[in-house]
């Protein structure tokens, strides 16, 4: 992944501050409408019905672990279902799953609201857990390789599922995939505020705006987040 150097990229027109403030205020009206619609969708999401999960297990550091124990005593659970390529080196593991879940390093605010965040990897635990350690992940990591198919329910991997615990019973309350997983990716939300945005080819940007060449989540052959990990040669 590379991007056009800023010095050679196009830029917005320059206007006086009064004009700039006026146009920014016009955009603010749309932003507020977007926020209110997001609030309304979130309210509808909170009122969805839920479905009872069967008794299923995942494999963690202590072996087979009932889903109810993954909550770590909290009432809610967010689980990311992580893809895995058996036998492949770390640099060939899923760049999309790496991008999505590597953002989830600060868990305090989730824990304060009675939410546990965990990853369910489709790879075997003994092979995938060292990858989580290499990445420096602070959240719990489990393997769903040998779990009851009811856990993923035919959805493959690369999705988020949310659960509610009531005593020993677990209910699935919501799931999302595709761009819904962007809920985890604070980098994207931050880039959307900048003049050049995400710099990806699908974006509606003016001619001359910088664009990423190559895979948007890889840099010089590795998932981008891996370059800051100990033991990885400088790029």
């Amino acid at each position: 992944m590379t991007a056009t150097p800023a010095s050679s990229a196009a830029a917005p027109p320059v206007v006086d501050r009064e004009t700039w403030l006026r146009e920014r205020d016009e955009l603010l009206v749309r932003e507020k409408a977007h926020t209110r619609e997001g609030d309304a969708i979130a309210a509808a999401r909170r009122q969805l019905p839920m479905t009872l999960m069967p008794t299923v297990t995942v494999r963690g550091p202590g072996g087979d672990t009932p889903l109810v124990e993954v909550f770590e005593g909290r009432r809610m659970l967010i689980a990311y279902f992580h893809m895995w390529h058996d036998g492949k080196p770390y640099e060939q593991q899923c760049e999309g799953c790496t991008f999505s879940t590597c953002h989830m390093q600060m868990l305090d605010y989730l824990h304060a609201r009675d939410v546990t965040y965990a990853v369910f990897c489709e790879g075997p635990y003994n092979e995938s857990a060292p990858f989580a350690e290499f990445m420096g992940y602070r959240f719990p990591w489990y393997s769903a390789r040998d779990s009851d198919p009811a856990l993923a329910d035919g959805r493959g991997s690369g999705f988020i599922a949310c659960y509610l615990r009531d005593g020993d019973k677990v209910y699935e309350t919501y799931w999302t995939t595709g761009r819904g997983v962007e809920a985890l990716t604070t980098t994207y939300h931050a880039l959307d505020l900048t003049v050049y945005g995400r710099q990806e080819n699908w974006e509606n940007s003016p001619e001359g705006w910088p664009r990423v060449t190559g895979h948007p989540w890889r840099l010089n052959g590795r998932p981008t987040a891996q370059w800051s990990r100990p033991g990885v040669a400088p790029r």
Side-chain angles (χ1 to χ4, degrees):
M1 176 188 70
T2 58
T4 305
S7 59
S8 62
V14 177
V15 297
D16 61 85
R17 190 165 189 85
E18 182 179 353
T19 301
W20 177 74
L21 287 171
R22 183 176 65 250
E23 295 201 17
R24 195 274 168 273
D25 286 345
E26 290 173 358
L27 180 61
L28 182 61
V29 174
R30 296 177 61 189
E31 288 180 331
K32 286 185 176 294
H34 176 74
T35 297
R36 287 191 291 270
E37 178 62 13
D39 290 342
I41 292 171
R45 187 182 297 119
R46 291 192 295 272
Q47 297 174 58
L48 284 172
M50 59 187 184
T51 186
L52 180 66
M53 291 291 296
T55 301
V56 297
T57 63
V58 290
R59 177 154 295 185
D64 289 342
T65 305
L67 180 60
V68 70
E69 293 185 13
V70 178
F71 285 71
E72 299 181 341
R74 300 184 181 92
R75 187 81 191 279
M76 291 169 285
L77 170 68
I78 299 172
Y80 181 83
F81 285 70
H82 198 292
M83 297 179 187
W84 187 257
H85 305 304
D86 287 359
K88 298 296 184 182
Y90 295 163
E91 62 269 24
Q92 293 182 29
Q93 293 304 327
C94 179
E95 62 280 333
C97 291
T98 301
F99 174 69
S100 295
T101 204
C102 74
H103 289 78
M104 299 298 290
Q105 299 285 48
M106 174 61 73
L107 303 175
D108 306 65
Y109 292 94
L110 291 178
H111 294 171
R113 303 298 171 90
D114 215 14
V115 179
T116 292
Y117 176 82
V119 165
F120 295 162
C121 183
E122 68 177 353
Y125 183 79
N126 288 344
E127 182 178 329
S128 64
F131 171 78
E133 184 176 356
F134 161 72
M135 291 298 299
Y137 292 155
R138 300 174 58 193
F139 43 76
W141 182 279
Y142 299 91
S143 168
R145 166 62 62 91
D146 298 318
S147 298
D148 189 306
L151 180 64
D153 196 22
R155 292 171 286 192
S157 289
F159 73 92
I160 299 168
C162 297
Y163 303 93
L164 177 69
R165 181 179 64 86
D166 183 9
D168 291 333
K169 293 182 178 179
V170 175
Y171 300 87
E172 186 168 354
T173 60
Y174 177 74
W175 75 281
T176 187
T177 191
R179 291 195 62 186
V181 177
E182 288 182 10
L184 306 183
T185 58
T186 52
T187 296
Y188 264 174
H189 300 302
L191 286 172
D192 284 341
L193 303 179
T194 70
V195 65
Y196 294 133
R198 304 180 188 190
Q199 303 173 42
E200 296 182 4
N201 291 321
W202 63 268
E203 287 180 289
N204 180 15
S205 295
E207 185 70 26
W209 256 230
R211 301 286 188 178
V212 168
T213 58
H215 201 290
W217 303 322
R218 284 188 170 271
L219 182 62
N220 297 336
R222 281 184 177 271
T224 306
Q226 289 188 7
W227 286 107
S228 61
R229 301 314 187 221
V232 176
R235 56 181 178 269

